[in-house]
Amino acid sequence: MATNPAGKGTKTIGINMQQKMADELERRAKSMQLSTGAYCKIILKQWLESKQKLQLQEK
């Protein structure tokens, strides 16, 4: 994480993920005419506001 010089109180977070997942996020964002970052921000915000916890398990 790094401090974002574009705005106070913000941070930029970079993540690595499988190519297939990244491609799907880009496809969905493009279909809504959003940047991938904006789309990810929306879905993460909705998840956080839902207050649901992720159930992380090994498959």
Side-chain angles (χ1 to χ4, degrees), residues 5-30:
K8 291 184 177 182
T10 65
K11 288 188 178 184
T12 299
I13 299 174
I15 60 171
N16 292 317
M17 64 181 70
Q18 292 179 351
Q19 184 71 44
K20 186 177 178 179
M21 184 184 299
D23 290 345
E24 180 63 15
L25 287 171
E26 289 175 335
R27 184 190 68 75
R28 291 180 184 197
K30 186 176 180 180

